[in-house]
Amino acid sequence: MELRLTTWQEVAGAIREMAVRGAPAIGVAAAYGMALAAVRSHAGSVEVLREDVARAGAGLAAARPTAVNLPWAVARMTEEAAAAHAGPAALREALRAKAEAIHADEVERCERIGEHGAGLLRAGAQVLTHCNAGALATGGFGTALGVIRAAHRRGPGLHVWVDETRPLLQGARLTAWELRQEDIAATLVTDSTAAWLMAERKVDAIVTGADRIARNGDTANKIGTYGLAVLARAHGLPFYVAAPTSTIDPAIERGRDIPIEHRRPEEVGAGAAAGVGVYNPAFDVTPAEYVSAIVTEHGVHRPPYLFS
Ligand code: MRU
């Protein structure tokens, strides 16, 4: 489905309601939202235009709390707005160009993540992934799915176990669709099947994306990821995280400081219908000690992780 968004408020709404979702993709969308705010502003001076753009940036950054790519992109656009520009028209043009550059960079980062990460998966590997960290989540190519796509190109025969990803089913709806487009063999499983799959020796590696990585490598990702990492350790399997450096938050030392988004009870349909309380965190944090490697556009990083 295509959405035509004509104001930054509509872009923020699309991020909030997850019409646009996935950490890198919401960063890219926020950058375009700020460029849109500049185009729509009637400001006649650079100073007033900067204020309008800053207002949009604050509104966009508040749309979702966990993925650091969102404030990261807003900060890049804010830097651009603060630079010297000849007049409002030049500033509008510079912001448009900056948003396009952020988008192009994210796609290129993903391609490099794929190149670096592909070697982690042997030909014919059985790979399990969670949520959707593909082209739909990143503006192009994908992070975890980028690794899988690149590995598949090098050595076909790879098979992907796709966690359905409760409660919003990003795996079932998005990852399954993307893998089909790429002609990569895939099988959908309920989230609770993962442990038994590993016990049956039907998984060789787990690859997920990330929404925010602390300096010590603790990683926030879609709820359910932490459980997979613990299961991987229990079964002696490698657990890999793939993410661009725009997902690393140098301001956060360790995972417990990562803000975790809690979403509406209605998203957990049955619980809400039964009239009981619902606890619906959208993300969890996997401690770095469970992460075998983090793949960024710079390469494959092994513990101890000391990101700066
Ligand atoms: O669907 P979201 O935006 O709530 O989920 C975020 C994600 O896409 C996943 O956590 C993903 O694994 C990392 S972002 C590529």
Side-chain angles (χ1 to χ4, degrees):
M1 187 172 100
E2 272 183 30
L3 283 181
R4 189 174 169 78
L5 308 173
T6 56
T7 64
W8 73 261
Q9 290 92 340
E10 287 176 3
V11 176
I15 293 171
R16 211 168 19 249
E17 297 308 318
M18 294 172 62
V20 181
R21 36 70 48 203
I26 62 180
V28 168
Y32 281 123
M34 289 176 77
L36 194 52
V39 171
R40 297 296 298 252
S41 162
H42 298 297
S45 73
V46 166
E47 291 69 30
V48 176
L49 184 52
R50 279 194 188 119
E51 285 169 18
D52 288 349
V53 170
R55 204 168 305 114
L60 286 155
R64 290 189 74 192
T66 300
V68 76
N69 307 63
L70 181 52
W72 176 88
V74 168
R76 298 292 82 73
M77 293 296 284
T78 304
E79 281 164 17
E80 185 60 49
H85 294 287
L91 176 51
R92 287 186 180 97
E93 177 52 28
L95 289 170
R96 187 188 60 76
K98 185 70 184 177
E100 286 176 357
I102 287 173
H103 187 180
D105 277 358
E106 286 296 24
V107 175
E108 201 207 318
R109 283 193 179 104
C110 285
E111 283 165 0
R112 281 161 48 200
I113 287 169
E115 281 164 25
H116 291 303
L120 296 170
L121 305 176
R122 63 166 178 79
Q126 299 269 356
V127 186
L128 187 140
T129 191
H130 191 65
C131 194
N132 173 260
L136 293 169
T138 60
F141 205 69
T143 52
L145 277 199
V147 169
I148 289 169
R149 284 167 80 172
H152 174 76
R153 284 176 191 173
R154 283 191 195 176
L158 177 145
H159 170 263
V160 186
W161 296 105
V162 181
D163 266 3
E164 63 175 357
T165 316
R166 290 286 305 159
L168 291 182
L169 306 180
Q170 289 95 330
R173 293 185 295 118
L174 308 176
T175 302
W177 181 83
E178 284 198 38
L179 289 170
R180 221 189 127 92
Q181 304 305 304
E182 288 291 313
D183 244 340
I184 299 175
T187 305
L188 185 64
V189 290
T190 61
D191 292 6
S192 46
T193 302
W196 188 238
L197 271 183
M198 294 184 206
E200 288 188 304
R201 312 310 298 172
K202 288 181 174 159
V203 179
D204 295 314
I206 296 93
V207 188
T208 73
D211 294 85
R212 192 182 298 228
I213 299 174
R215 271 165 44 191
N216 71 347
D218 290 353
T219 297
N221 194 53
K222 181 55 55 189
I223 191 78
T225 304
Y226 171 42
L228 291 175
V230 174
L231 286 170
R233 174 63 53 84
H235 292 88
L237 297 169
F239 177 86
Y240 301 122
V241 169
T245 49
S246 51
T247 301
I248 295 171
D249 187 348
I252 284 198
E253 186 81 36
R254 54 193 82 231
R256 65 166 171 263
D257 297 327
I258 297 176
I260 298 294
E261 175 181 17
H262 285 251
R263 295 190 60 90
R264 289 187 297 271
E266 297 74 37
E267 289 179 356
V268 189
V276 298
V278 171
Y279 182 64
N280 187 20
F283 302 93
D284 56 26
V285 176
T286 299
E289 66 191 272
Y290 292 103
V291 181
S292 312
I294 297 177
V295 188
T296 72
E297 69 271 23
H298 298 309
V300 176
H301 310 266
R302 299 280 181 178
Y305 306 107
L306 300 165
F307 295 114
S308 59

